[in-house]
Amino acid sequence: MAAENSKQFWKRSAKLPGSIQPVYGAQHPPLDPRLTKNFIKERSKVSTVPLKNKKASSFHEFARNTSDAWDIGDDEEEDFSSPAFQTLNSKVALATAAQVLENHSKLRVKPERSQSTTSDVPASYKVIKSSSDAQLSRNSSDSCLRNPLHKQQSLPLRPVIPLVARISDQNASGAPPMTVREKTRLEKFRQLLSSHNTDLDELRKCSWPGVPREVRPVTWRLLSGYLPANTERRKLTLQRKREEYFGFIEQYYDSRNEEHHQDTYRQIHIDIPRTNPLIPLFQQPLVQEIFERILFIWAIRHPASGYVQGINDLVTPFFVVFLSEYVEEDVENFDVTNLSQDMLRSIEADSFWCMSKLLDGIQDNYTFAQPGIQKKVKALEELVSRIDEQVHNHFRRYEVEYLQFAFRWMNNLLMRELPLRCTIRLWDTYQSEPEGFSHFHLYVCAAFLIKWRKEILDEEDFQYLKQWCGAAPCTGVQMFSKKY
């Protein structure tokens, strides 16, 4: 009934695809009214249809309004011989386009003043930015030019921080000197790790607020269960496990070209370049080959789940942490070809085994139908309903399902939402918890929603409310990055 009594969304919208719109930045009106008289009359008839009030919109309203977006018959019903499509004068269009270009060129002249002032600063005082910083600065400068030209509905604001913060975040070269407290903590870690039998309970307690960069590799190996607590057994264990991994490579890796493994290998090969595409480290061919071997061997050794998109992200924190054991400079731009073959083999094998230990606790996230993620999203919903009923009821009112924004939080453990530096720091805490990746992760997700409850409650549109929920972890990084 609703479809019969009202025109389709794309029919009643004032902004029809291909229709002529006022051009911001050009003179208004952009066309000569005398030449477009018929067009204006025709447009006035279309615009008389009252548009839907955009104050509040549920999921069903959103879906109903956009359900015909890809209907094939829409274009066929249009009469392109009507005056609305014939009154556009080519000379007027060319003149309007020339005016737009002229106005844009005037806007670009203004920033030259500020550039001239910065050029007077001595070269020694200029800050060299990382690739991610440069990308953000370009995006922000472009948006400054576009803002006067476009009056858009505001989207959830995200903090202006590097998309990928430099990995050398704690006590590395170029970092400020350690405080007395940091030196004391580092010394305590070293005493724990050098004792004959490391007290794992005490190590977890010390690791919860963060692990110093210098001892993070060995601490992660211990907390993940890859290394034994006894110091005398560690060297032999590392040697045996590394040899075992490369035994898997010799035995199974050539089977990637076999028919029953081709689909798995093809998907891995597609996903590897997408892993942290803004970090030069992960775009190096040698690093991508290492990731391919790790993921393929894990997939064929775990046939219940096989390879699932998202597992590729879980390798990166381990790879970076174990790489930092051999590199003191900025890891994200480091050329791994400078390392010896033995070092690369150690990093690869350790990354494989620690990732395997992590996935052993959350493998049901990646089996058929991903029941682990379904359960975790439901648990998140129940948790939020208990600790903040108002936010929970707000989601229900506008028909926002938790699965619509929290699925990726569980599938990728917030790695797509947080910079890699913050992920590594967060995993310090996850690994110090008995079930950090499976249970404690839920409380982290809930904390982001509760922290930004005001912005969520202020939003009354399904589409933007869903975007706010997805942006909450990214926005929370601002505080997290300042502290760590």
Side-chain angles (χ1 to χ4, degrees):
M1 291 296 293
E4 295 175 359
N5 295 333
S6 62
K7 294 185 178 181
Q8 291 178 326
F9 174 78
W10 304 108
K11 293 286 195 290
R12 57 186 168 81
S13 175
K15 296 185 178 180
L16 294 171
S19 61
I20 304 172
Q21 302 295 329
V23 180
Y24 292 96
Q27 291 181 349
H28 294 279
L31 301 176
D32 189 343
R34 293 172 296 179
L35 298 176
T36 57
K37 188 178 300 182
N38 294 333
F39 175 77
I40 294 173
K41 289 180 180 179
E42 192 73 18
R43 285 294 304 278
S44 63
K45 293 178 181 178
V46 176
S47 61
T48 54
V49 180
L51 293 178
K52 185 177 180 64
N53 183 15
K54 297 175 67 177
K55 176 64 178 175
S57 141
S58 69
F59 169 72
H60 290 302
E61 292 170 344
F62 172 77
R64 186 164 57 247
N65 289 342
T66 58
S67 61
D68 62 325
W70 300 104
D71 287 351
I72 300 176
D74 287 355
D75 294 338
E76 295 175 353
E77 296 174 3
E78 298 290 349
D79 184 9
F80 290 99
S81 62
S82 64
F85 290 95
Q86 293 181 347
T87 55
L88 178 60
N89 187 291
S90 59
K91 293 183 179 179
V92 176
L94 290 173
T96 304
Q99 186 62 43
V100 172
L101 294 173
E102 183 180 348
N103 288 345
H104 274 274
S105 62
K106 290 178 181 178
L107 285 171
R108 291 180 178 276
V109 172
K110 295 180 181 179
E112 291 181 0
R113 281 186 176 180
S114 59
Q115 291 176 4
S116 63
T117 58
T118 57
S119 62
D120 298 334
V121 181
S124 59
Y125 289 94
K126 291 185 178 178
V127 178
I128 300 175
K129 295 183 179 180
S130 66
S131 58
S132 55
D133 293 335
Q135 180 69 25
L136 268 179
S137 62
R138 284 198 298 271
N139 293 342
S140 60
S141 63
D142 291 344
S143 63
C144 290
L145 291 175
R146 288 196 297 266
N147 284 342
L149 305 179
H150 297 278
K151 190 175 181 181
Q152 302 173 345
Q153 184 174 358
S154 60
L155 290 174
L157 296 176
R158 298 193 178 194
V160 182
I161 62 172
L163 294 176
V164 182
R166 282 188 289 274
I167 311 302
S168 53
D169 58 336
Q170 291 185 2
N171 311 329
S173 58
M178 287 190 293
T179 62
V180 175
R181 180 179 177 274
E182 289 171 338
K183 290 180 180 179
T184 304
R185 291 191 72 243
L186 179 58
E187 185 60 31
K188 186 172 184 179
F189 268 93
R190 284 176 171 160
Q191 289 177 0
L192 277 170
L193 297 172
S194 62
S195 61
H196 183 68
N197 284 299
T198 301
D199 187 343
L200 295 181
D201 290 334
E202 185 65 24
L203 184 63
R204 290 190 184 96
K205 182 179 178 181
C206 294
S207 301
W208 207 96
V211 181
R213 183 181 187 272
E214 291 83 355
V215 294
R216 182 175 279 142
V218 64
T219 301
W220 276 27
R221 291 188 187 104
L222 285 165
L223 293 179
S224 64
Y226 174 44
L227 274 187
N230 187 284
T231 54
E232 295 178 355
R233 295 172 51 204
R234 290 177 192 171
K235 186 176 180 180
L236 290 175
T237 301
L238 281 177
Q239 182 179 351
R240 177 174 55 84
K241 298 297 284 185
R242 288 167 181 172
E243 289 176 356
E244 185 179 354
Y245 168 72
F246 284 101
F248 295 151
I249 297 292
E250 293 178 6
Q251 185 176 358
Y252 300 117
Y253 192 59
D254 288 339
S255 67
R256 67 189 184 280
N257 297 319
E258 297 177 4
E259 185 176 357
H260 57 289
H261 287 152
Q262 280 184 353
D263 290 341
T264 298
Y265 180 72
R266 186 183 299 112
Q267 188 60 58
I268 292 172
H269 191 72
I270 291 172
D271 289 346
I272 292 298
R274 301 173 181 171
T275 305
N276 290 308
L278 296 177
I279 305 184
L281 171 68
F282 299 114
Q283 302 310 307
Q284 298 178 37
L286 185 56
V287 174
Q288 294 185 355
E289 290 173 10
I290 290 173
F291 276 45
E292 283 184 4
R293 289 194 292 269
I294 291 174
L295 294 171
F296 182 76
I297 296 300
W298 187 89
I300 63 175
R301 293 189 73 246
H302 297 80
S305 62
Y307 173 76
V308 178
Q309 285 180 305
I311 296 179
N312 55 308
D313 290 322
L314 305 184
V315 187
T316 56
F318 293 114
F319 184 83
V320 167
V321 167
F322 297 138
L323 176 62
S324 67
E325 198 169 18
Y326 304 99
V327 179
E328 292 185 358
E329 56 190 271
D330 187 14
V331 177
E332 73 176 55
N333 295 303
F334 181 75
D335 185 0
V336 296
T337 57
N338 294 325
L339 295 178
S340 67
Q341 188 67 23
D342 289 340
M343 292 177 180
L344 290 173
R345 288 169 64 91
S346 299
I347 294 169
E348 179 176 349
D350 293 354
S351 299
F352 169 81
W353 287 115
C354 287
M355 184 198 73
S356 298
K357 293 288 186 180
L358 184 159
L359 289 171
D360 285 346
I362 58 171
Q363 190 174 355
D364 60 344
N365 283 12
Y366 306 104
T367 53
F368 178 73
Q370 298 181 279
I373 291 181
Q374 305 282 348
K375 293 176 183 176
K376 290 177 177 63
V377 172
K378 185 64 178 176
L380 176 65
E381 181 177 354
E382 293 175 356
L383 179 62
V384 174
S385 67
R386 293 200 310 268
I387 61 180
D388 198 324
E389 188 177 2
Q390 192 175 1
V391 169
H392 177 70
N393 290 336
H394 190 72
F395 287 150
R396 295 184 63 182
R397 178 184 177 187
Y398 295 101
E399 300 177 19
V400 175
E401 300 291 338
Y402 284 77
L403 197 64
Q404 292 170 330
F405 61 86
F407 178 87
R408 194 171 78 168
W409 295 3
M410 306 302 171
N411 190 61
N412 302 91
L413 298 177
L414 291 173
M415 288 197 60
R416 299 286 178 91
E417 284 71 29
L418 301 177
L420 186 53
R421 176 183 66 173
C422 295
T423 298
I424 290 173
R425 166 58 193 91
L426 186 61
W427 282 24
D428 288 342
T429 302
Y430 281 3
Q431 295 200 84
S432 63
E433 286 282 333
E435 295 179 321
F437 293 98
S438 58
H439 289 79
F440 186 75
H441 179 67
L442 298 177
Y443 293 88
V444 174
C445 295
F448 280 123
L449 291 176
I450 304 309
K451 171 63 184 175
W452 303 106
R453 65 185 307 276
K454 181 180 182 299
E455 289 78 5
I456 292 172
L457 293 174
D458 288 343
E459 188 55 68
E460 297 181 348
D461 180 84
F462 165 79
Q463 186 177 8
Y464 285 89
L465 181 60
K466 189 160 68 74
Q467 288 181 2
W468 243 119
C469 294
C474 303
T475 314
V477 171
Q478 191 169 24
M479 297 182 303
F480 201 77
S481 298
K482 286 180 179 177
K483 187 173 182 180
Y484 300 106

